């Protein structure tokens, strides 16, 4: 037995760890007790900073301690500011007395305070590179310092992204510091490209890229994320990434964004449907508009104009609003609606008892021959891959999206077939694919409704066999009648959208 290393038994090891944990808890409680006692006494001094560091170096995610450190820093800034004011007065007195000696400026001490906080965050990030609190405190410290070295922070991001190129905390911080350092967007785009070349599976880098491209290559029509020429190049690049590893989702997600319609979210609420008559008006938005009653809504006709006030929400999501104030509508006049940055020309109803406006969701975007050829090439590549990997969920979904980008109407049935297949391949997300199928179905039905002879009075849902939901319900607020199956009505219950006939003022 002599000369052999004694190996602890499982029970001994468990007991040792238990004792170590008890000691750490005891030390933590003692330090926290001392910190809170000093805070109650208003002692925001160097000792307080030292006590907080002892805990933060082991656990950087104690929010209370970072808040206390900020209180200490603000107190130091206040004291140094007061000292500087006193120093200025002293300089004036010494100048009058002819003294040559000048006291040291407090600016160096102030920079030392900021530097200490930055060092603390760096040490904490070595413990946990994904600590929300440490990153937030670093941002706060830099914003407090009018002489912050933003270029140094950019280099620090480069360093951290070499350790972990997918740390989204670092990418968020990078967006913050590059904006402060005025780093050119072209330079940032090149940085993204290099990171993607190193590792295609980098969600954060693809996301960062998606924020830069609409600014560098804007699309004036706003029906594409960027200019068509650059969009074509991006599609070619992302296809290479996606096919390198078909099971990795990062490139597929980016490609899905490329196939979307719109560079960025609309700042102003976008009207998608409006109808008015002598008994009132109803308005529907693309997205929820909870503060609509605070906006100015103006109705104009020829040289006359007046405000429509007293709006009330017509659904729980606040995408639809109603106004039950009588309107002096005259069928021999033309009307327009003004809201925020939008001015909408209203069309008269065929019956002559009101006016309306309607734009279907996701109307087809224009597409150049070059871009269309690229989309068809990518679709064929997806079909080829599905022959070898028929259960590749990302390829199934992307091919369906490509078909809709090429011709949503002509490829509608086939794209739905892909969603049905996805329900089998990716059963855990079956509900998502059903909702997506409902969205695509309603987009087609609403587009057909806008060209039918029954528009806008009556909406008939002809394709409803697989529908368990009714997306875009706010678009139906201008209809008088909804022709839906009893099964769908029962499924929707209270979520069934109200029609104009149901919302208007009672006679």
């Amino acid at each position: 037995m002599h000369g052999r290393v004694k190996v602890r038994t499982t029970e001994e090891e468990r007991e040792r760890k238990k004792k170590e944990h008890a000691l750490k808890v005891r030390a933590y409680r003692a330090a926290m007790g001392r910190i809170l006692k000093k805070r109650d006494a208003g002692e925001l001094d160097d000792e307080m900073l030292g006590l907080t560091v002892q805990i933060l170096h082991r656990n950087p995610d104690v929010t209370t301690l970072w808040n206390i450190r900020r209180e200490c820093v603000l107190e130091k800034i206040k004291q140094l500011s007061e000292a500087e004011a006193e120093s200025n007065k002293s300089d004036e007195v010494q100048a009058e007395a002819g003294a040559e000696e000048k006291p040291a400026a407090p600016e160096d001490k102030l920079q030392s305070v900021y530097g200490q906080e930055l060092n603390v965050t760096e040490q904490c990030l070595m413990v946990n590179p994904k600590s929300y609190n440490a990153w937030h405190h670093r941002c706060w410290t830099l914003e407090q310092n009018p002489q912050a070295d933003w270029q140094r922070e950019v280099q620090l991001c480069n360093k951290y992204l070499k350790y972990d190129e997918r740390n989204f905390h670092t990418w968020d911080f990078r967006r913050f510091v590059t904006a402060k350092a005025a780093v050119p967007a072209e330079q940032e785009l090149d940085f993204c490209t290099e990171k993607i070349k190193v590792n295609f599976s980098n969600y954060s880098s693809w996301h960062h890229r998606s924020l830069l491209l609409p600014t560098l290559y804007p699309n004036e029509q706003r029906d594409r994320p960027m200019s068509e020429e650059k969009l074509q190049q991006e599609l070619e690049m992302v296809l290479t990434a996606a096919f390198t590893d078909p099971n990795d989702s990062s490139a597929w997600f980016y490609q899905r964004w490329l196939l979307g319609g719109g560079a960025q979210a609309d700042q102003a609420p976008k009207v998608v449907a409006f109808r008015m008559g002598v008994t009132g008006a109803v308005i529907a938005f693309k997205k929820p508009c909870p503060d609509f009653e605070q906006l100015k809504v103006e109705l104009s006709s020829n040289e006359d104009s007046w405000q429509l006030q007293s709006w009330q929400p017509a659904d729980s999501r606040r995408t639809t609003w109603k106004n039950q104030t009588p309107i002096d509508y005259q069928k021999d006049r033309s009307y327009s609606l003004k809201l925020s940055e939008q001015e909408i020309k209203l069309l008269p109803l065929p019956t002559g008892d009101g006016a309306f406006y309607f734009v279907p969701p996701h109307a087809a975007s224009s597409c150049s021959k070059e871009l269309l050829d690229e989309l068809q090439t990518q679709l064929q590549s997806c079909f080829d891959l599905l022959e070898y990997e028929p259960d590749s969920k990302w390829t199934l979904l992307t091919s369906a999206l490509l078909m809709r980008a090429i011709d949503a109407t002509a490829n509608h049935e086939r794209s739905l077939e892909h969603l049905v297949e996805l329900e089998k391949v990716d059963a855990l997300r079956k509900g998502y694919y059903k909702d997506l199928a409902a969205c695509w179905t309603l987009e087609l039905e609403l587009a057909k409704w806008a060209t039918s002879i029954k528009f806008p009075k009556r909406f008939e849902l002809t394709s409803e066999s697989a529908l368990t939901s009714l997306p875009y319900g706010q678009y139906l607020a201008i209809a008088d009648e909804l022709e839906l199956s009893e099964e769908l009505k029962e499924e929707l219950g209270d979520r069934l959208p109200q029609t104009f006939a149901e919302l208007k003022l009672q006679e």
Side-chain angles (χ1 to χ4, degrees), residues 16-40:
R16 184 185 67 82
K17 289 183 177 181
K18 186 177 179 180
K19 290 180 179 179
E20 286 182 358
H21 178 71
L23 289 173
K24 290 179 180 179
V25 170
R26 193 179 307 151
Y28 171 80
R29 288 177 176 173
M32 284 298 294
R34 175 63 177 157
I35 289 170
L36 295 177
K37 185 176 180 180
K38 286 179 65 65
R39 188 188 197 185
D40 291 340

Side-chain angles (χ1 to χ4, degrees), residues 319-482:
T319 53
T320 309
W321 293 76
K322 62 181 179 180
N323 187 312
Q324 295 179 310
T325 304
I327 298 174
D328 183 19
Y329 175 77
Q330 300 178 28
K331 62 180 180 181
D332 58 340
R333 305 180 70 176
S334 59
Y335 293 84
S336 62
L337 183 74
K338 293 182 181 179
L339 172 64
S340 298
E341 302 174 358
Q342 301 176 75
E343 183 170 358
I344 299 167
K345 184 178 181 180
L346 304 179
L347 299 174
L349 288 167
T351 52
D353 58 351
F356 76 97
Y357 169 81
F358 181 80
V359 54
H362 303 302
S365 303
S366 59
C367 190
S368 66
K369 183 180 182 303
E370 292 76 16
L371 180 58
L372 183 61
D373 290 341
E374 178 61 32
L375 293 173
Q376 290 174 335
T377 299
Q378 297 217 353
L379 178 59
Q380 186 58 50
S381 297
C382 286
F383 287 157
D384 293 341
L385 181 59
L386 286 173
E387 291 184 7
Y388 295 97
E389 297 187 35
D391 293 340
S392 174
K393 70 173 184 179
W394 296 113
T395 314
L396 280 167
L397 181 57
T398 302
S399 58
L401 294 170
L402 284 165
M403 284 189 281
R404 291 184 55 78
I406 294 169
D407 191 333
T409 303
N411 295 317
H412 179 68
E413 293 300 328
R414 192 172 184 184
S415 61
L416 290 184
E417 290 173 3
H418 278 229
L419 294 183
V420 172
E421 189 64 28
L422 280 164
E423 291 180 28
K424 303 173 186 175
V425 173
D426 190 17
L428 290 176
R429 295 169 183 81
K430 184 177 179 179
Y432 167 73
Y433 299 123
K434 283 187 175 295
D435 287 343
L436 193 58
C439 286
W440 291 356
T441 299
L442 262 295
E443 287 170 13
L444 180 63
E445 292 296 325
L446 289 170
K448 292 194 301 186
W449 181 43
T451 59
S452 71
I453 59 175
K454 298 177 181 179
F455 179 78
K457 292 283 189 174
R458 182 181 177 85
F459 175 77
E460 296 180 358
L461 188 56
T462 58
S463 301
E464 55 181 335
S465 57
L467 293 187
T468 56
S469 62
L470 192 67
Y472 304 115
Q474 69 269 33
Y475 287 73
L476 304 176
I478 64 172
D480 281 332
E481 299 178 59
L482 300 181

Side-chain angles (χ1 to χ4, degrees), residues 51-111:
L51 289 170
T52 58
V53 165
Q54 293 177 17
I55 300 177
L56 290 173
H57 279 177
R58 293 178 175 83
N59 182 5
D61 296 316
V62 185
T63 305
T64 300
L65 296 184
W66 290 110
N67 290 337
I68 292 174
R69 288 195 70 86
R70 283 190 278 275
E71 291 175 2
C72 292
V73 170
L74 292 175
E75 179 63 25
K76 279 182 171 289
I77 293 173
K78 178 183 176 182
Q79 292 174 0
L80 290 171
S81 178
E82 292 173 352
E84 185 177 14
E86 290 294 328
S87 176
N88 291 335
K89 291 180 181 179
S90 177
D91 287 347
E92 293 176 1
V93 173
Q94 291 181 7
E96 292 175 359
E100 297 181 359
E101 192 174 320
K102 295 182 179 181
E107 184 61 36
D108 292 339
K109 294 181 179 180
L110 187 60
Q111 291 303 316

Side-chain angles (χ1 to χ4, degrees), residues 287-294 317-319 321:
K287 295 180 179 179
C289 185
D291 301 325
F292 172 58
E293 63 262 60
Q294 300 177 11
R317 296 179 63 240
R318 298 192 171 219
T319 53
W321 293 76

